[in-house]
């Protein structure tokens, strides 16, 4: 069997490895080989994007959700969750504020809530796009019918984030109630891509029942699906969920996987996630140094922020807050990167 470094070299060349090879990378990494991976990833990212880091303003439009994902703090069964929904005007106000600070992408994320029907989303997207035609709109609102995605796209939405959560059907079944189907999630992803969205998948690192086998399947899925974006962050337990007693995923493995994904897909948009910034005070910087090139500060109204608790202690202040963009700029400047005012679209 190859060693970790020669497999990373092979990934640079081939942009593809076998399942066994991905598994070998994950199981045999150490500090030195992770650094080797990060250096390769950063070199590749610099060749494609220079030292630019793209920002997205994250607007958490509501935490009412019909789903009951075992890991998620806003799951339906969590009666301790204080529920809210933003109005169209609230959302537009977030965009106004964000535009003034330099955001050119707005991400609307929320629970799966019938109130946010495709028509409703289309109305909001149209309003944002007519007021800010130079901005991109990203949706992250879960599973809809293909025809709904089509109308959202026609209303002007540019991108859609829908983490696949795990590429293994059995593992999917351990993270979700029976009613939620792996096949439907994957169907959504293929529909989104086919419709023309810049599409993002992704997963949590260290989710309960995850193994090096399921992780290699995640990597293989990402390799083959060729998403425009990929969100990966550590699993962090939430005290009012069935997974409250499971350990959090690690920043170290998250960063190693970010490097692998960057090497696999040089042009991918790869965020250093809020979850990574939450488990490690310099997680965001570590993510960027491992090959990430996107950060998504929180642009939600202050009143909504502590209610959108996907996991315990989720950051929404400090450098994670859109209003503190200067702080984030400074932190990234210190490690040699520059936040740019740009839509930051996926490269063809
Ligand atoms: N309803 C939307 C948005 C879900 S929240 C959808 O279905 O896509 C966005 C992401 O947060 C999820 O896809 C999940 O991967 C992540 N998430 C949820 N609970 C989490 C937890 N406890 N720890 C870390 N990430 C979590």
């Amino acid at each position: 069997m190859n060693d970790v470094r020669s497999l990373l070299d092979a990934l640079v060349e081939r942009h593809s490895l076998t399942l066994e090879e991905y598994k070998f990378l994950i199981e045999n990494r150490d500090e030195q080989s992770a650094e080797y991976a990060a250096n390769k990833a950063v070199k590749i990212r610099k060749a494609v994007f220079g030292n630019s880091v793209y920002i997205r303003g994250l607007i958490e439009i509501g935490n009412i959700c019909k789903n009951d994902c075992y890991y998620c703090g806003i799951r339906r069964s969590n009666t301790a969750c204080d529920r809210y929904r933003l109005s169209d005007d609230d959302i537009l106000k977030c965009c106004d504020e964000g535009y003034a600070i330099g955001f050119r992408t707005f991400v609307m994320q929320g629970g799966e809530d019938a109130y946010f029907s495709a028509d409703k989303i289309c109305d909001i997207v149209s309003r944002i796009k007519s007021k800010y035609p130079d901005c991109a709109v990203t949706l992250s609102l879960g599973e809809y019918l293909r025809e709904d995605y089509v109308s959202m796209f026609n209303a002007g939405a540019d991108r859609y984030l829908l983490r696949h959560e795990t590429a293994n059907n059995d593992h999917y079944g351990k993270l979700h109630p029976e009613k939620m189907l792996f096949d439907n999630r994957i169907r959504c992803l293929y529909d989104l891509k086919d419709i023309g969205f810049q599409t993002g998948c992704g997963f949590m690192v260290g989710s309960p029942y995850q193994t090096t086998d399921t992780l290699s399947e995640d990597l293989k899925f990402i390799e083959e699906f060729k998403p425009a974006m990929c969100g990966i962050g550590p699993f962090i337990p939430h005290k009012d969920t069935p997974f409250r007693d499971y350990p959090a995923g690690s920043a170290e493995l998250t960063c190693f996987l970010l490097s692998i994904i960057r090497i696999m897909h040089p042009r991918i948009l790869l965020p250093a996630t809020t979850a990574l910034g939450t488990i490690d005070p310099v997680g965001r910087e570590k993510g960027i140094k491992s090959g990430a090139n996107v950060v998504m500060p929180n642009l939600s109204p202050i009143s909504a922020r502590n209610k959108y608790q996907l996991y315990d202690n989720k950051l929404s202040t400090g450098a994670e807050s859109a209003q503190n963009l200067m702080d984030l700029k400074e932190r990234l400047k210190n490690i040699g990167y520059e936040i740019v005012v740009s839509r930051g679209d996926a490269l063809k």
Side-chain angles (χ1 to χ4, degrees), residues 250-322:
S250 75
E252 176 275 316
L253 179 54
T254 304
C255 288
F256 185 66
L257 294 167
L258 285 172
S259 299
I260 291 181
I261 295 167
R262 169 62 61 202
I263 297 169
M264 178 196 295
H265 292 314
R267 302 158 90 89
I268 200 168
L269 294 163
L270 205 54
T273 55
T274 304
L276 184 55
T278 299
I279 52 157
D280 186 322
V282 288
R284 240 175 274 98
E285 288 90 333
K286 284 183 182 171
I288 299 288
K289 287 189 200 166
S290 304
N293 66 330
V294 173
V295 281
M296 300 170 65
N298 197 309
L299 199 53
S300 309
I302 303 294
S303 62
R305 289 198 193 169
N306 39 22
K307 296 184 183 156
Y308 197 80
Q309 284 288 328
L310 303 175
Y311 43 82
D312 289 334
N313 307 314
K314 179 168 151 279
L315 285 188
S316 59
T317 56
E320 209 50 62
S321 167

Side-chain angles (χ1 to χ4, degrees), residues 65 67 69 71-74 109-112 140-143 160-165 180 185 202-204 231 233-238 241 275 308 310-312:
C65 192
N67 291 330
C69 310
Y71 46 84
C72 185
I74 66 167
Q109 189 179 87
E112 288 194 20
S140 178
L141 300 166
E143 299 171 26
Y160 206 105
L161 295 173
L162 186 80
R163 291 186 174 183
H164 63 285
E165 311 297 0
M180 296 183 67
R185 195 118 186 131
F203 62 93
M204 293 174 286
F235 161 76
I236 303 173
H238 185 291
T241 63
Y308 197 80
L310 303 175
Y311 43 82
D312 289 334

Side-chain angles (χ1 to χ4, degrees), residues 84-95:
Y84 76 95
R85 259 178 209 140
L86 299 186
S87 69
D88 302 19
D89 288 344
D90 291 334
I91 296 170
L92 258 293
K93 260 186 238 149
C94 295
C95 298

Side-chain angles (χ1 to χ4, degrees), residues 74-129:
I74 66 167
R75 65 197 299 266
R76 184 183 64 211
S77 298
N78 180 9
T79 51
C81 177
D82 185 6
R83 306 285 170 172
Y84 76 95
R85 259 178 209 140
L86 299 186
S87 69
D88 302 19
D89 288 344
D90 291 334
I91 296 170
L92 258 293
K93 260 186 238 149
C94 295
C95 298
D96 295 339
E97 198 176 339
Y99 192 88
I101 325 176
F103 287 92
R104 295 297 178 267
T105 290
F106 303 115
V107 182
M108 293 203 281
Q109 189 179 87
E112 288 194 20
D113 175 2
Y115 167 84
F116 289 113
S117 63
D119 283 348
K120 182 85 198 153
I121 297 302
C122 289
D123 286 347
I124 303 170
V125 171
S126 311
R127 275 186 70 185
I128 299 175
K129 293 294 283 198

